[in-house]
Amino acid sequence: MDKFVIRGGSPLVGEVEIGGAKNAALAILTAAIMTDDYVLIENIPDVSDINVLLEAISGIGAATERIDRHSVRITGSTIGAVSVDYEYIKKIRASYYLLGALLGKYKHAEVPLPGGCNIGSRPIDQHLKGFRALGATVEIRHGVIVASAENLRGAHIYMDMVSVGATINIMMAAALANGNTIIENAAREPHVVDTANFLNSMGANIKGAGTDVIRIRGVEKLHKSEYMIVPDMIEAGTYMFAAAATRGDVLIKNVIPKHLEAMTAKLVEIGCEVEEFDDAVRVCAKGRLGRTHVKTLPYPGFPTDMQPQISVVLSLAQGTSIVTESIFENRFKYVDELACMGASIKVEGNTAIIDGIANLTGARLCAPDLRAGAALVIAGLAAEGVSIVDDIVYIERGYEDFDQKLRLLGAEIEKVSDEREIRKFRLRVG
Ligand code: EPZ
Protein backbone atom coordinates (compact mmCIF):
# COMPACT_ATOMS: atom_id res chain seq x y z
CA MET A 1 0.00 0.00 0.00
CA ASP A 2 1.31 3.45 -0.83
CA LYS A 3 2.21 5.75 2.05
CA PHE A 4 3.15 9.38 2.54
CA VAL A 5 6.42 10.00 4.33
CA ILE A 6 6.76 13.51 5.76
CA ARG A 7 9.47 15.45 7.51
CA GLY A 8 7.61 18.11 9.48
CA GLY A 9 8.64 21.46 10.88
CA SER A 10 8.66 23.64 7.75
CA PRO A 11 5.97 26.32 7.42
CA LEU A 12 3.92 26.03 4.24
CA VAL A 13 4.57 29.10 2.11
CA GLY A 14 3.39 29.94 -1.40
CA GLU A 15 0.33 29.47 -3.63
CA VAL A 16 -1.97 26.49 -4.25
CA GLU A 17 -4.68 26.06 -6.93
CA ILE A 18 -7.96 24.47 -5.82
CA GLY A 19 -9.74 22.02 -8.12
CA GLY A 20 -13.41 21.26 -8.75
CA ALA A 21 -15.59 20.07 -5.88
CA LYS A 22 -15.60 16.25 -5.61
CA ASN A 23 -19.04 16.22 -3.95
CA ALA A 24 -20.55 18.44 -6.63
CA ALA A 25 -18.92 16.47 -9.44
CA LEU A 26 -20.25 13.14 -8.14
CA ALA A 27 -23.83 14.46 -8.27
CA ILE A 28 -23.44 16.34 -11.56
CA LEU A 29 -21.76 13.51 -13.46
CA THR A 30 -24.67 11.29 -12.41
CA ALA A 31 -27.29 13.87 -13.36
CA ALA A 32 -25.64 14.16 -16.79
CA ILE A 33 -27.15 10.80 -17.80
CA MET A 34 -30.66 12.26 -17.47
CA THR A 35 -30.56 13.60 -21.03
CA ASP A 36 -30.01 11.68 -24.27
CA ASP A 37 -27.96 14.61 -25.59
CA TYR A 38 -24.26 14.89 -24.89
CA VAL A 39 -23.09 16.81 -21.83
CA LEU A 40 -19.62 18.30 -21.32
CA ILE A 41 -18.51 18.67 -17.71
CA GLU A 42 -15.32 20.60 -16.94
CA ASN A 43 -13.22 21.26 -13.81
CA ILE A 44 -13.85 17.80 -12.41
CA PRO A 45 -11.18 16.68 -9.90
CA ASP A 46 -8.99 13.78 -11.03
CA VAL A 47 -9.53 11.64 -7.91
CA SER A 48 -10.44 7.98 -7.50
CA ASP A 49 -14.03 8.60 -6.35
CA ILE A 50 -14.75 10.39 -9.63
CA ASN A 51 -12.99 7.78 -11.72
CA VAL A 52 -14.94 4.94 -10.08
CA LEU A 53 -18.24 6.76 -10.58
CA LEU A 54 -17.43 7.21 -14.27
CA GLU A 55 -16.88 3.43 -14.44
CA ALA A 56 -20.31 2.93 -12.84
CA ILE A 57 -21.91 5.29 -15.37
CA SER A 58 -20.23 3.45 -18.24
CA GLY A 59 -21.28 0.20 -16.58
CA ILE A 60 -24.97 0.93 -17.24
CA GLY A 61 -24.17 1.75 -20.87
CA ALA A 62 -23.76 5.55 -20.94
CA ALA A 63 -20.96 6.76 -23.21
CA THR A 64 -18.21 8.55 -21.27
CA GLU A 65 -15.28 10.18 -23.04
CA ARG A 66 -12.46 11.63 -20.89
CA ILE A 67 -11.35 14.71 -22.82
CA ASP A 68 -8.56 15.43 -20.31
CA ARG A 69 -7.87 14.99 -16.56
CA HIS A 70 -10.54 17.54 -15.68
CA SER A 71 -13.12 17.26 -18.49
CA VAL A 72 -15.49 14.51 -19.55
CA ARG A 73 -18.23 14.21 -22.17
CA ILE A 74 -21.19 12.00 -21.24
CA THR A 75 -24.06 10.78 -23.39
CA GLY A 76 -26.93 8.98 -21.68
CA SER A 77 -28.67 7.87 -24.88
CA THR A 78 -26.91 4.51 -24.94
CA ILE A 79 -27.94 3.43 -21.43
CA GLY A 80 -29.12 -0.17 -21.64
CA ALA A 81 -29.49 -1.11 -17.99
CA VAL A 82 -31.08 0.54 -15.01
CA SER A 83 -29.37 -1.65 -12.46
CA VAL A 84 -25.99 -0.78 -10.97
CA ASP A 85 -23.41 -3.43 -10.02
CA TYR A 86 -22.59 -3.81 -6.34
CA GLU A 87 -18.86 -3.42 -7.01
CA TYR A 88 -19.41 0.27 -7.76
CA ILE A 89 -21.59 0.99 -4.72
CA LYS A 90 -19.00 -0.80 -2.54
CA LYS A 91 -16.26 1.46 -3.87
CA ILE A 92 -18.19 4.73 -3.90
CA ARG A 93 -21.41 5.32 -1.95
CA ALA A 94 -22.37 8.25 -4.12
CA SER A 95 -23.28 5.76 -6.88
CA TYR A 96 -26.63 5.93 -5.08
CA TYR A 97 -27.24 9.16 -7.00
CA LEU A 98 -27.99 6.84 -9.93
CA LEU A 99 -31.23 6.01 -8.11
CA GLY A 100 -32.59 9.53 -8.51
CA ALA A 101 -31.21 9.97 -12.03
CA LEU A 102 -32.48 6.64 -13.40
CA LEU A 103 -35.82 6.85 -11.59
CA GLY A 104 -36.33 10.36 -12.91
CA LYS A 105 -35.45 9.46 -16.50
CA TYR A 106 -36.60 5.83 -16.88
CA LYS A 107 -39.05 5.56 -13.94
CA HIS A 108 -37.09 2.49 -12.81
CA ALA A 109 -33.81 1.98 -10.95
CA GLU A 110 -32.06 -0.88 -9.19
CA VAL A 111 -29.11 0.10 -7.00
CA PRO A 112 -27.52 -2.00 -4.22
CA LEU A 113 -27.90 -0.58 -0.73
CA PRO A 114 -24.67 1.25 0.21
CA GLY A 115 -23.27 -0.14 3.44
CA GLY A 116 -22.14 2.00 6.33
CA CYS A 117 -18.69 3.45 6.14
CA ASN A 118 -15.79 4.52 8.32
CA ILE A 119 -17.53 7.58 9.73
CA GLY A 120 -20.94 6.17 10.57
CA SER A 121 -23.87 3.95 9.58
CA ARG A 122 -25.17 6.50 7.03
CA PRO A 123 -28.66 5.13 6.27
CA ILE A 124 -30.52 6.36 3.17
CA ASP A 125 -34.06 6.29 4.56
CA GLN A 126 -34.62 9.94 3.63
CA HIS A 127 -33.72 9.25 0.00
CA LEU A 128 -36.29 6.43 -0.12
CA LYS A 129 -38.88 8.54 1.71
CA GLY A 130 -38.54 11.17 -1.02
CA PHE A 131 -38.89 8.69 -3.87
CA ARG A 132 -42.01 7.20 -2.30
CA ALA A 133 -43.49 10.68 -1.84
CA LEU A 134 -42.97 11.20 -5.59
CA GLY A 135 -45.12 8.11 -6.22
CA ALA A 136 -42.45 5.43 -6.69
CA THR A 137 -42.72 1.99 -5.13
CA VAL A 138 -39.44 1.29 -3.37
CA GLU A 139 -38.50 -2.17 -2.12
CA ILE A 140 -35.31 -3.75 -0.85
CA ARG A 141 -34.74 -7.10 -2.55
CA HIS A 142 -31.63 -9.12 -1.63
CA GLY A 143 -29.78 -5.96 -0.67
CA VAL A 144 -30.84 -4.08 -3.79
CA ILE A 145 -33.10 -1.02 -3.80
CA VAL A 146 -35.71 -1.47 -6.52
CA ALA A 147 -37.54 1.78 -7.26
CA SER A 148 -40.16 2.14 -9.97
CA ALA A 149 -43.16 4.26 -10.90
CA GLU A 150 -45.78 4.44 -13.64
CA ASN A 151 -45.27 8.17 -13.42
CA LEU A 152 -43.59 10.39 -10.85
CA ARG A 153 -45.77 13.18 -9.50
CA GLY A 154 -44.70 16.29 -7.62
CA ALA A 155 -44.97 16.19 -3.83
CA HIS A 156 -44.41 18.32 -0.72
CA ILE A 157 -41.56 16.61 1.13
CA TYR A 158 -40.32 17.55 4.60
CA MET A 159 -36.86 16.08 5.33
CA ASP A 160 -36.57 14.56 8.83
CA MET A 161 -33.00 15.82 8.97
CA VAL A 162 -30.79 17.89 6.71
CA SER A 163 -29.26 15.49 4.19
CA VAL A 164 -27.04 16.54 1.29
CA GLY A 165 -27.41 13.24 -0.54
CA ALA A 166 -31.15 12.92 -0.05
CA THR A 167 -31.75 16.53 -1.14
CA ILE A 168 -29.77 15.97 -4.34
CA ASN A 169 -31.24 12.54 -5.08
CA ILE A 170 -34.84 13.74 -4.65
CA MET A 171 -34.15 16.91 -6.65
CA MET A 172 -32.92 14.80 -9.58
CA ALA A 173 -35.98 12.51 -9.60
CA ALA A 174 -38.38 15.46 -9.14
CA ALA A 175 -36.83 17.35 -12.07
CA LEU A 176 -38.64 14.98 -14.48
CA ALA A 177 -41.79 14.36 -12.40
CA ASN A 178 -45.25 15.65 -13.35
CA GLY A 179 -46.09 18.76 -11.37
CA ASN A 180 -44.43 20.68 -8.59
CA THR A 181 -42.26 19.40 -5.77
CA ILE A 182 -41.25 21.27 -2.63
CA ILE A 183 -38.37 19.98 -0.52
CA GLU A 184 -38.49 21.48 2.99
CA ASN A 185 -35.52 21.34 5.40
CA ALA A 186 -33.31 20.92 2.34
CA ALA A 187 -29.50 20.89 2.52
CA ARG A 188 -27.92 24.23 1.50
CA GLU A 189 -24.35 23.12 0.65
CA PRO A 190 -22.68 24.71 -2.40
CA HIS A 191 -22.66 21.30 -4.07
CA VAL A 192 -26.47 21.15 -3.76
CA VAL A 193 -26.63 24.55 -5.45
CA ASP A 194 -24.15 23.48 -8.14
CA THR A 195 -26.23 20.38 -8.93
CA ALA A 196 -29.41 22.49 -9.16
CA ASN A 197 -27.64 24.99 -11.43
CA PHE A 198 -26.43 22.14 -13.63
CA LEU A 199 -29.92 20.60 -13.87
CA ASN A 200 -31.31 24.03 -14.76
CA SER A 201 -28.64 24.37 -17.46
CA MET A 202 -30.15 21.18 -18.93
CA GLY A 203 -33.65 22.72 -18.89
CA ALA A 204 -34.88 21.77 -15.42
CA ASN A 205 -36.89 24.30 -13.40
CA ILE A 206 -35.45 24.40 -9.87
CA LYS A 207 -35.65 27.41 -7.57
CA GLY A 208 -34.45 28.03 -4.02
CA ALA A 209 -31.35 25.79 -4.02
CA GLY A 210 -29.07 27.16 -1.31
CA THR A 211 -32.04 27.82 0.96
CA ASP A 212 -33.87 25.25 3.08
CA VAL A 213 -36.86 25.23 0.69
CA ILE A 214 -36.26 24.02 -2.87
CA ARG A 215 -39.10 24.24 -5.42
CA ILE A 216 -38.97 22.04 -8.50
CA ARG A 217 -41.39 22.32 -11.42
CA GLY A 218 -41.11 19.03 -13.32
CA VAL A 219 -40.29 19.19 -17.07
CA GLU A 220 -40.75 16.69 -19.90
CA LYS A 221 -37.11 16.17 -20.75
CA LEU A 222 -33.62 17.57 -20.29
CA HIS A 223 -31.19 18.69 -23.00
CA LYS A 224 -27.49 19.05 -23.63
CA SER A 225 -25.29 21.28 -21.52
CA GLU A 226 -21.72 22.34 -20.96
CA TYR A 227 -20.92 22.99 -17.32
CA MET A 228 -18.00 23.84 -15.05
CA ILE A 229 -17.89 22.40 -11.52
CA VAL A 230 -17.70 24.79 -8.56
CA PRO A 231 -14.36 24.98 -6.63
CA ASP A 232 -13.96 22.49 -3.78
CA MET A 233 -14.54 24.25 -0.45
CA ILE A 234 -13.21 21.28 1.53
CA GLU A 235 -9.99 21.00 -0.47
CA ALA A 236 -9.59 24.75 0.05
CA GLY A 237 -10.30 24.47 3.77
CA THR A 238 -7.78 21.65 4.10
CA TYR A 239 -4.99 23.87 2.75
CA MET A 240 -6.19 26.80 4.90
CA PHE A 241 -5.83 24.69 8.04
CA ALA A 242 -2.53 23.22 6.85
CA ALA A 243 -1.19 26.77 6.61
CA ALA A 244 -2.44 27.46 10.15
CA ALA A 245 -0.98 24.23 11.59
CA THR A 246 2.48 24.91 10.14
CA ARG A 247 2.48 28.65 10.96
CA GLY A 248 2.76 29.31 7.26
CA ASP A 249 1.61 31.89 4.75
CA VAL A 250 -0.42 30.40 1.88
CA LEU A 251 -2.50 31.93 -0.91
CA ILE A 252 -5.30 29.48 -1.77
CA LYS A 253 -6.43 30.28 -5.33
CA ASN A 254 -9.56 29.51 -7.36
CA VAL A 255 -12.04 29.52 -4.47
CA ILE A 256 -15.34 31.20 -3.64
CA PRO A 257 -14.56 32.97 -0.32
CA LYS A 258 -18.25 33.01 0.64
CA HIS A 259 -18.20 29.18 0.79
CA LEU A 260 -15.29 29.30 3.25
CA GLU A 261 -16.75 31.77 5.74
CA ALA A 262 -17.30 29.34 8.64
CA MET A 263 -13.69 28.15 8.34
CA THR A 264 -12.31 31.66 7.91
CA ALA A 265 -14.18 32.80 11.01
CA LYS A 266 -12.65 30.03 13.14
CA LEU A 267 -9.13 30.68 11.82
CA VAL A 268 -9.44 34.40 12.63
CA GLU A 269 -10.88 33.57 16.06
CA ILE A 270 -7.82 31.47 16.98
CA GLY A 271 -5.37 34.11 15.75
CA CYS A 272 -4.72 33.64 12.03
CA GLU A 273 -4.71 36.48 9.55
CA VAL A 274 -7.08 35.69 6.67
CA GLU A 275 -7.25 38.02 3.70
CA GLU A 276 -10.06 37.56 1.14
CA PHE A 277 -9.79 38.33 -2.57
CA ASP A 278 -12.33 37.81 -5.38
CA ASP A 279 -11.32 34.20 -5.99
CA ALA A 280 -8.65 33.52 -3.38
CA VAL A 281 -7.95 33.61 0.33
CA ARG A 282 -4.61 34.10 2.06
CA VAL A 283 -4.00 32.44 5.42
CA CYS A 284 -1.09 33.54 7.56
CA ALA A 285 -0.28 32.24 11.05
CA LYS A 286 2.54 33.55 13.19
CA GLY A 287 3.19 32.14 16.67
CA ARG A 288 1.04 29.82 18.68
CA LEU A 289 -2.72 29.87 17.99
CA GLY A 290 -5.51 30.11 20.53
CA ARG A 291 -8.23 27.70 21.60
CA THR A 292 -11.88 27.65 20.58
CA HIS A 293 -15.12 25.66 20.67
CA VAL A 294 -16.50 24.36 17.37
CA LYS A 295 -19.56 22.29 16.48
CA THR A 296 -20.01 20.79 13.03
CA LEU A 297 -23.30 21.74 11.38
CA PRO A 298 -24.94 21.60 7.95
CA TYR A 299 -23.89 24.47 5.65
CA PRO A 300 -23.39 27.35 6.31
CA GLY A 301 -22.17 25.99 9.67
CA PHE A 302 -18.69 24.59 10.20
CA PRO A 303 -18.39 21.58 7.85
CA THR A 304 -18.10 18.06 9.27
CA ASP A 305 -15.60 17.36 6.47
CA MET A 306 -13.27 19.88 8.13
CA GLN A 307 -13.62 18.50 11.67
CA PRO A 308 -10.43 16.37 11.70
CA GLN A 309 -8.41 19.23 10.21
CA ILE A 310 -9.43 21.82 12.81
CA SER A 311 -8.81 19.27 15.59
CA VAL A 312 -5.20 18.92 14.44
CA VAL A 313 -4.72 22.70 14.55
CA LEU A 314 -6.32 22.88 18.01
CA SER A 315 -4.11 20.04 19.29
CA LEU A 316 -1.26 22.57 18.99
CA ALA A 317 -3.18 25.59 20.33
CA GLN A 318 -2.69 27.41 23.63
CA GLY A 319 -5.43 26.13 25.97
CA THR A 320 -8.28 23.63 25.90
CA SER A 321 -10.68 23.41 22.93
CA ILE A 322 -13.91 21.48 22.42
CA VAL A 323 -14.91 19.97 19.09
CA THR A 324 -18.45 18.58 18.77
CA GLU A 325 -19.36 16.37 15.79
CA SER A 326 -23.10 16.67 15.24
CA ILE A 327 -23.42 15.07 11.80
CA PHE A 328 -21.75 11.64 11.97
CA GLU A 329 -21.48 9.23 14.89
CA ASN A 330 -17.99 7.88 14.34
CA ARG A 331 -15.75 10.61 13.06
CA PHE A 332 -13.04 10.73 15.77
CA LYS A 333 -11.06 7.60 14.85
CA TYR A 334 -8.02 9.76 13.96
CA VAL A 335 -7.71 10.80 17.64
CA ASP A 336 -5.93 7.54 18.51
CA GLU A 337 -3.45 8.24 15.72
CA LEU A 338 -2.79 11.77 16.97
CA ALA A 339 -2.15 10.34 20.44
CA CYS A 340 0.89 8.55 18.94
CA MET A 341 2.22 12.02 18.08
CA GLY A 342 1.74 13.23 21.66
CA ALA A 343 -1.62 14.96 21.24
CA SER A 344 -3.79 15.23 24.36
CA ILE A 345 -7.38 14.64 23.24
CA LYS A 346 -10.22 12.94 25.12
CA VAL A 347 -13.28 11.81 23.20
CA GLU A 348 -16.55 11.56 25.10
CA GLY A 349 -19.49 10.60 22.87
CA ASN A 350 -19.59 13.05 19.97
CA THR A 351 -17.27 15.53 21.66
CA ALA A 352 -13.48 15.80 21.69
CA ILE A 353 -11.78 17.76 24.50
CA ILE A 354 -8.42 18.93 23.19
CA ASP A 355 -5.66 20.15 25.56
CA GLY A 356 -3.27 21.96 23.25
CA ILE A 357 0.43 21.07 23.46
CA ALA A 358 3.47 22.94 22.14
CA ASN A 359 4.71 20.28 19.72
CA LEU A 360 3.62 17.07 18.04
CA THR A 361 6.32 14.52 17.23
CA GLY A 362 6.41 12.40 14.07
CA ALA A 363 5.02 8.84 14.18
CA ARG A 364 3.71 5.98 12.04
CA LEU A 365 0.02 6.64 11.34
CA CYS A 366 -2.87 5.05 9.45
CA ALA A 367 -5.49 7.09 7.60
CA PRO A 368 -8.90 5.90 8.90
CA ASP A 369 -10.90 7.75 6.22
CA LEU A 370 -10.61 10.47 3.59
CA ARG A 371 -10.71 13.67 5.65
CA ALA A 372 -9.00 12.20 8.72
CA GLY A 373 -6.22 11.00 6.41
CA ALA A 374 -5.69 14.54 5.14
CA ALA A 375 -5.70 15.78 8.74
CA LEU A 376 -2.98 13.29 9.70
CA VAL A 377 -0.84 14.61 6.85
CA ILE A 378 -1.34 18.12 8.28
CA ALA A 379 -0.25 16.79 11.68
CA GLY A 380 2.87 15.28 10.10
CA LEU A 381 3.68 18.59 8.40
CA ALA A 382 3.45 20.38 11.77
CA ALA A 383 5.25 17.73 13.83
CA GLU A 384 8.92 17.52 14.73
CA GLY A 385 10.66 14.74 12.83
CA VAL A 386 9.42 12.16 10.35
CA SER A 387 5.87 10.77 10.06
CA ILE A 388 4.55 8.01 7.84
CA VAL A 389 0.86 8.02 6.89
CA ASP A 390 -0.33 4.65 5.63
CA ASP A 391 -3.53 3.74 3.71
CA ILE A 392 -3.34 6.91 1.67
CA VAL A 393 -5.71 5.30 -0.82
CA TYR A 394 -8.40 6.96 1.31
CA ILE A 395 -6.80 10.38 0.82
CA GLU A 396 -6.50 9.90 -2.93
CA ARG A 397 -10.27 9.41 -3.12
CA GLY A 398 -10.76 13.13 -2.65
CA TYR A 399 -7.48 15.06 -2.99
CA GLU A 400 -5.86 15.47 -6.40
CA ASP A 401 -2.03 15.60 -6.42
CA PHE A 402 -2.01 16.12 -2.64
CA ASP A 403 1.73 15.54 -2.11
CA GLN A 404 2.69 17.48 -5.25
CA LYS A 405 0.65 20.52 -4.18
CA LEU A 406 2.16 20.37 -0.68
CA ARG A 407 5.72 20.09 -2.05
CA LEU A 408 5.08 23.25 -4.08
CA LEU A 409 4.34 24.91 -0.73
CA GLY A 410 7.69 23.77 0.68
CA ALA A 411 6.58 20.58 2.40
CA GLU A 412 9.00 17.68 2.65
CA ILE A 413 6.58 14.91 1.66
CA GLU A 414 6.87 11.96 -0.69
CA LYS A 415 4.67 9.08 -1.77
CA VAL A 416 6.50 5.80 -1.11
CA SER A 417 5.56 2.16 -1.26
CA ASP A 418 8.10 0.32 0.90
CA GLU A 419 10.53 0.57 3.79
CA ARG A 420 13.50 0.95 1.47
CA GLU A 421 12.08 4.18 0.07
CA ILE A 422 11.35 5.38 3.62
CA ARG A 423 14.97 4.79 4.57
CA LYS A 424 16.11 6.74 1.48
CA PHE A 425 13.82 9.63 2.47
CA ARG A 426 15.19 9.64 6.03
CA LEU A 427 18.77 9.69 4.74
CA ARG A 428 17.96 12.51 2.34
CA VAL A 429 16.24 14.77 4.86
CA GLY A 430 18.69 13.96 7.65
C1 EPZ B 1 -22.33 14.16 1.91
O1 EPZ B 1 -22.59 12.86 2.42
C2 EPZ B 1 -20.86 14.19 1.57
N1 EPZ B 1 -20.58 13.17 0.56
C3 EPZ B 1 -20.02 13.93 2.82
O2 EPZ B 1 -18.66 14.12 2.45
C4 EPZ B 1 -20.38 14.98 3.86
O3 EPZ B 1 -19.67 14.68 5.05
C5 EPZ B 1 -21.88 14.96 4.14
O4 EPZ B 1 -22.60 15.16 2.90
C6 EPZ B 1 -22.30 16.07 5.09
O5 EPZ B 1 -21.95 17.30 4.56
C7 EPZ B 1 -20.92 13.44 -0.73
O6 EPZ B 1 -21.45 14.48 -1.04
C8 EPZ B 1 -20.59 12.36 -1.72
P1 EPZ B 1 -25.86 13.49 4.56
P2 EPZ B 1 -24.13 12.38 2.61
O7 EPZ B 1 -26.92 12.75 3.87
O8 EPZ B 1 -24.97 13.00 1.59
C9 EPZ B 1 -27.89 11.07 8.13
C10 EPZ B 1 -16.44 13.54 2.14
O9 EPZ B 1 -15.52 13.49 2.98
N2 EPZ B 1 -28.80 10.55 7.10
O10 EPZ B 1 -25.89 14.99 4.54
O11 EPZ B 1 -24.14 10.91 2.75
C11 EPZ B 1 -26.46 10.62 7.92
O12 EPZ B 1 -26.23 9.35 8.53
C12 EPZ B 1 -17.79 12.97 2.48
O13 EPZ B 1 -16.34 14.08 1.00
C13 EPZ B 1 -29.85 9.71 7.50
O14 EPZ B 1 -30.01 9.38 8.66
O15 EPZ B 1 -24.44 13.03 4.05
C14 EPZ B 1 -25.68 11.71 8.59
O16 EPZ B 1 -25.65 11.45 9.98
C15 EPZ B 1 -17.78 12.28 3.83
N3 EPZ B 1 -30.69 9.25 6.53
C16 EPZ B 1 -26.52 12.97 8.32
O17 EPZ B 1 -27.83 12.49 8.00
C17 EPZ B 1 -30.55 9.58 5.21
O18 EPZ B 1 -31.37 9.13 4.39
C18 EPZ B 1 -26.02 13.82 7.18
O19 EPZ B 1 -25.80 12.96 6.08
C19 EPZ B 1 -29.48 10.44 4.84
C20 EPZ B 1 -28.63 10.91 5.81
Side-chain angles (χ1 to χ4, degrees):
M1 294 278 266
D2 282 345
K3 307 160 178 36
F4 284 141
V5 56
I6 303 157
R7 205 270 293 264
S10 322
L12 295 182
V13 178
E15 299 185 356
V16 63
E17 280 279 344
I18 298 304
K22 166 182 83 83
N23 292 344
L26 291 170
I28 287 168
L29 291 170
T30 309
I33 67 164
M34 295 179 74
T35 174
D36 283 344
D37 298 346
Y38 85 83
V39 172
L40 177 65
I41 310 289
E42 296 177 298
N43 199 36
I44 58 172
D46 184 9
V47 295
S48 58
D49 269 4
I50 295 296
N51 300 330
V52 169
L53 180 72
L54 286 171
E55 287 168 25
I57 289 170
S58 309
I60 58 171
T64 60
E65 181 198 348
R66 197 67 176 255
I67 313 288
D68 59 39
R69 278 190 86 181
H70 303 123
S71 312
V72 66
R73 186 195 303 273
I74 293 177
T75 309
S77 57
T78 50
I79 289 173
V82 286
S83 66
V84 179
D85 282 352
Y86 179 68
E87 61 171 305
Y88 299 122
I89 275 278
K90 193 172 57 177
K91 289 179 190 168
I92 161 81
R93 296 174 51 77
S95 312
Y96 61 34
Y97 284 139
L98 285 163
L99 266 171
L102 292 170
L103 183 64
K105 184 179 182 184
Y106 299 107
K107 310 302 181 264
H108 190 90
E110 297 180 21
V111 177
L113 260 173
C117 86
N118 315 38
I119 57 177
S121 63
R122 301 179 77 176
I124 61 164
D125 56 300
Q126 298 296 300
H127 301 238
L128 308 187
K129 166 183 170 169
F131 297 145
R132 289 185 175 113
L134 293 171
T137 58
V138 181
E139 294 166 324
I140 312 285
R141 285 197 212 125
H142 308 295
V144 176
I145 304 159
V146 179
S148 56
E150 274 304 303
N151 274 303
L152 293 175
R153 61 176 191 284
H156 194 154
I157 302 164
Y158 201 99
M159 308 303 294
D160 297 345
M161 86 280 294
V162 175
S163 162
V164 168
T167 301
I168 288 174
N169 232 343
I170 296 165
M171 193 164 68
M172 282 198 275
L176 290 175
N178 299 321
N180 299 335
T181 295
I182 300 174
I183 304 174
E184 305 257 13
N185 200 21
R188 300 188 272 170
E189 272 71 3
H191 28 294
V192 174
V193 177
D194 215 28
T195 306
N197 291 341
F198 170 66
L199 285 164
N200 285 339
S201 77
M202 290 205 291
N205 185 332
I206 300 172
K207 292 185 170 53
T211 76
D212 60 351
V213 182
I214 299 178
R215 297 172 192 281
I216 303 135
R217 184 184 296 272
V219 296
E220 280 294 307
K221 65 186 293 194
L222 299 172
H223 56 67
K224 69 182 176 185
S225 170
E226 300 192 358
Y227 195 80
M228 184 160 279
I229 302 287
V230 72
D232 193 320
M233 59 184 263
I234 302 301
E235 184 191 18
T238 301
Y239 287 101
M240 291 168 77
F241 279 79
T246 59
R247 301 185 185 179
D249 182 351
V250 176
L251 182 69
I252 296 106
K253 297 165 70 176
N254 187 31
V255 298
I256 298 174
K258 173 79 183 156
H259 293 168
L260 311 174
E261 282 183 344
M263 297 175 260
T264 299
K266 277 300 168 189
L267 286 170
V268 169
E269 187 183 320
I270 63 177
C272 293
E273 287 167 32
V274 181
E275 195 177 352
E276 289 185 356
F277 305 91
D278 286 348
D279 60 354
V281 291
R282 179 176 173 190
V283 177
C284 186
K286 298 186 182 67
R288 196 159 177 203
L289 297 170
R291 51 160 296 288
T292 187
H293 289 185
V294 60
K295 178 175 184 179
T296 64
L297 288 168
Y299 190 87
F302 192 89
T304 176
D305 292 347
M306 286 298 305
Q307 181 259 93
Q309 297 91 318
I310 193 170
S311 293
V312 167
V313 171
L314 296 176
S315 72
L316 288 163
Q318 181 87 39
T320 298
S321 301
I322 293 181
V323 175
T324 303
E325 171 55 58
S326 77
I327 308 291
F328 290 109
E329 65 266 28
N330 190 16
R331 202 162 201 177
F332 285 119
K333 283 198 292 200
Y334 62 89
V335 167
D336 292 340
E337 303 298 311
L338 289 180
C340 300
M341 305 177 85
S344 172
I345 305 176
K346 180 144 181 53
V347 175
E348 292 184 358
N350 66 343
T351 298
I353 299 147
I354 303 174
D355 292 321
I357 60 171
N359 292 301
L360 293 171
T361 54
R364 281 187 177 264
L365 309 161
C366 279
D369 59 69
L370 164 58
R371 305 303 176 183
L376 292 178
V377 170
I378 293 175
L381 293 169
E384 281 170 11
V386 173
S387 297
I388 294 144
V389 179
D390 212 335
D391 299 337
I392 62 170
V393 65
Y394 283 114
I395 301 173
E396 293 178 324
R397 293 183 53 182
Y399 290 92
E400 181 183 310
D401 297 343
F402 197 38
D403 52 324
Q404 293 94 315
K405 290 187 177 184
L406 288 168
R407 275 196 297 275
L408 286 175
L409 292 171
E412 292 202 88
I413 179 171
E414 269 181 34
K415 191 192 302 190
V416 297
S417 51
D418 59 32
E419 292 302 320
R420 186 180 55 78
E421 289 181 281
I422 292 173
R423 282 195 296 277
K424 271 174 64 179
F425 178 88
R426 286 181 184 278
L427 285 172
R428 186 169 64 73
V429 301

